[in-house]
Amino acid sequence: VASLTSAPASALLTDTLLRSDNMAAEELLKEVGHATGAPGSTPGGLAATRAALEPLCVPLSGTDDDGSGLSRANGRSPREWRKLLQAARDAPWWPQLQAALPVAGRSGTLASRFRGTAAEGTVRAKTGTIIGGVALSGYGTTIGGRAFVFSVLVNGEGSQAATGALDTLIAAIAAHPG
């Protein structure tokens, strides 16, 4: 993970997160494996990533199968994602991750979402969309100045229709005065 803090790798990470490019995410995962001395493969990258997350003391009970985060073969609960996101704030690579995430109403996959709400410009998050599922995980600041971390996943038929409800939920949290 530390190898992704170099300028070229950081730019690739930013581009991958802004566009939500699953193929690039998979290639980055393989690079993490290679850069840490593990095989430059999906299993090598997953092992290296788990090793890098171990010092954060977050128990990982979910399953990983690729670098995309949200896929049929990845099984991680929103609670586990939230705990990982909370712990990431104490990691040395936190500034790169925070800077790379799309900003609500301003950039990447969030450029057209949250406009005119309290979340605009104050929420940074990663979207996830597959057939039968949508997700949104990230960080925000309420209008009262309080930081919050969130991860929401909606499964099942018609889940794409829940995107508006997800946005309403996160915007309501951002609008909280406390």
Side-chain angles (χ1 to χ4, degrees), residues 38-50:
S41 63
T42 298
L46 290 170
T49 300
R50 281 185 173 261

Side-chain angles (χ1 to χ4, degrees), residues 4 9 16 47 49 54 76 98 100-101 105 119 134 149 154 169:
L4 295 180
T16 300
T49 300
E54 192 173 299
R76 194 162 308 291
Q98 183 185 31
L101 287 168
V134 294
V149 180
V154 179
L169 172 65

Side-chain angles (χ1 to χ4, degrees), residues 118 141-146 171-178:
T141 304
T142 67
I143 60 171
R146 191 168 180 192
I173 295 169
H176 193 274

Side-chain angles (χ1 to χ4, degrees), residues 83-112:
K83 287 180 178 180
L84 284 165
L85 290 171
Q86 284 176 284
R89 293 182 298 183
D90 296 326
W93 38 265
W94 161 247
Q96 286 81 19
L97 174 62
Q98 183 185 31
L101 287 168
V103 178
R106 308 258 170 89
S107 63
T109 55
L110 296 181
S112 64

Side-chain angles (χ1 to χ4, degrees), residues 23 35 42 117:
M23 184 64 80
T42 298
T117 72

Side-chain angles (χ1 to χ4, degrees), residues 68-166:
S68 72
L70 180 63
S71 74
R72 301 233 179 274
N74 290 327
R76 194 162 308 291
S77 72
R79 175 177 286 140
E80 192 167 4
W81 278 117
R82 181 191 44 80
K83 287 180 178 180
L84 284 165
L85 290 171
Q86 284 176 284
R89 293 182 298 183
D90 296 326
W93 38 265
W94 161 247
Q96 286 81 19
L97 174 62
Q98 183 185 31
L101 287 168
V103 178
R106 308 258 170 89
S107 63
T109 55
L110 296 181
S112 64
R113 293 172 67 173
F114 298 102
R115 288 196 177 152
T117 72
E120 184 176 357
T122 66
V123 167
R124 289 179 170 270
K126 175 66 183 80
T127 60
T129 305
I130 59 172
I131 295 171
V134 294
L136 186 65
S137 300
Y139 306 91
T141 304
T142 67
I143 60 171
R146 191 168 180 192
F148 65 95
V149 180
F150 63 92
S151 183
V152 185
L153 173 65
V154 179
N155 289 328
E157 189 176 322
S159 58
Q160 272 68 23
T163 301
L166 289 179

Side-chain angles (χ1 to χ4, degrees), residues 26-50:
E26 183 68 18
E27 293 304 316
L28 281 170
L29 180 69
K30 292 174 182 178
E31 177 57 29
V32 167
H34 175 75
T36 59
S41 63
T42 298
L46 290 170
T49 300
R50 281 185 173 261

